[in-house]
Amino acid sequence: MLAIFHKAFAHPPEELHSPASYKGSKKPKLPEETLREFLSRHPDNTCSMSFGEAAVLAYVRPERPFSIHQRLFCGHDDIYCLFLGSLNNLNLLNKQYGLTKVTSEAMFVIEAYKTLRDRGPYPADQVVKDLDGSFAFVVYDSKVGSVFAALGSDGGVKLYWGIAADGSVVISDDLEVIKEGCSKSFAPFPSGCMFHSEGGLMSFEHPMNKVKAMPRIDSEGAMCGANFKVDKYTRINSIPRVGSETNWMDWDHH
């Protein structure tokens, strides 16, 4: 999967950007070049959707329809979801949310996101923590221009993110596409974490602890986009809650 968001709609951590990106022979690419590269790798079974200058989502249809690492893409009420992996407790979650048994993981994530957005306050980390399985997802709410992404903690699915030449955020499970598109300004998306365009990056497993950027040096000795780890010694004095106001995450101080 591939998701690209204009820098005006997603505000990734500063540390993801590496000055070394512009020093070597391989410079970061523009989003349209990265999209072309991604589509050319899978010429027969990809589909993509563009949302003007704001975002683009692209998806490779799975070769086998019933794979443990399934890839799903769906949209509902102007909300779109790319989903990788599978949830072991999908039936239970669908029941809790009053959804039908045939609701897919991607559609469930959209419904959970809508519940968070429209019926807060409720901690977003608690919702993601309830998901049991190997998963990664990216949600784009095209009505309000907000991005929500998360990666499960079991390591079963990989996800990467980086910064394109124009400052856009690039998220993909394809490491080569990310390396080509973002040069040195990329890193693994941290497992057990979630990212929202307003609230930033946080751990859904340890929501009261800060996520810290750790310098990352590649094999050429160049500084790359940082790895992000939970800092077990630094607690934050706020917890993300979801409200119905324009900013999807409201920082509720304690």
Side-chain angles (χ1 to χ4, degrees):
M1 73 171 180
L2 175 70
I4 305 174
F5 302 104
H6 190 276
K7 61 183 176 185
F9 297 93
H11 311 286
E14 284 289 322
E15 296 89 349
L16 201 53
H17 187 275
S18 168
S21 277
Y22 295 92
K23 290 178 182 162
S25 54
K26 281 175 71 178
K27 306 274 191 292
K29 294 179 177 175
L30 290 166
E32 50 269 33
E33 295 175 280
T34 297
L35 177 63
R36 273 201 303 273
E37 164 91 9
F38 182 80
L39 297 177
S40 70
R41 283 169 169 262
H42 314 276
D44 303 322
N45 60 342
T46 50
C47 61
S48 65
M49 282 184 77
S50 291
F51 302 85
E53 296 289 304
V56 63
L57 302 174
Y59 154 80
V60 183
R61 292 184 197 91
E63 286 154 24
R64 296 191 302 279
F66 300 104
S67 161
I68 188 158
H69 293 306
Q70 60 185 341
R71 293 192 292 269
L72 303 169
F73 180 31
C74 69
H76 182 58
D77 286 349
D78 299 317
I79 303 166
Y80 299 85
C81 177
L82 288 162
F83 185 97
L84 297 174
S86 56
L87 298 177
N88 303 325
N89 60 339
L90 181 62
N91 288 345
L92 180 65
L93 292 166
N94 282 340
K95 201 171 172 184
Q96 280 177 3
Y97 281 75
L99 305 171
T100 65
K101 283 182 182 174
V102 292
T103 301
S104 71
E105 277 94 341
M107 190 55 90
F108 165 76
V109 168
I110 287 177
E111 291 298 334
Y113 168 84
K114 277 170 67 180
T115 302
L116 283 169
R117 186 193 65 183
D118 302 337
R119 300 185 208 162
Y122 192 73
D125 58 277
Q126 196 56 57
V127 173
V128 184
K129 208 174 186 174
D130 284 345
L131 310 184
D132 173 31
S134 297
F135 66 88
F137 65 77
V138 179
V139 172
Y140 178 59
D141 185 338
S142 64
K143 203 176 273 183
V144 297
S146 80
V147 180
F148 184 41
L151 176 64
S153 56
D154 72 346
V157 176
K158 302 286 185 215
L159 199 62
Y160 305 90
W161 60 343
I163 308 292
D166 66 347
S168 294
V169 183
V170 185
I171 305 174
S172 179
D173 62 320
D174 189 325
L175 178 57
E176 289 311 309
V177 166
I178 286 275
K179 276 183 176 176
E180 284 291 315
C182 305
S183 183
K184 304 289 186 190
S185 295
F186 81 95
F189 192 95
S191 60
C193 286
M194 60 188 198
F195 168 75
H196 185 263
S197 46
E198 296 295 342
L201 180 69
M202 68 165 286
S203 165
F204 60 79
E205 291 196 301
H206 307 282
M208 297 306 293
N209 293 81
K210 277 192 173 169
V211 176
K212 197 174 170 184
M214 311 289 285
R216 194 165 69 88
I217 310 288
D218 71 3
S219 55
E220 297 165 5
M223 184 76 80
C224 289
N227 282 328
F228 297 91
K229 306 265 186 210
V230 174
D231 183 353
K232 292 188 175 146
Y233 302 102
T234 312
R235 290 175 72 78
I236 53 178
N237 65 349
S238 55
I239 198 159
R241 300 199 178 268
V242 176
S244 54
E245 54 269 46
T246 326
N247 285 359
W248 182 75
M249 281 198 176
D250 173 36
W251 296 93
D252 182 20
H253 290 276
H254 294 281

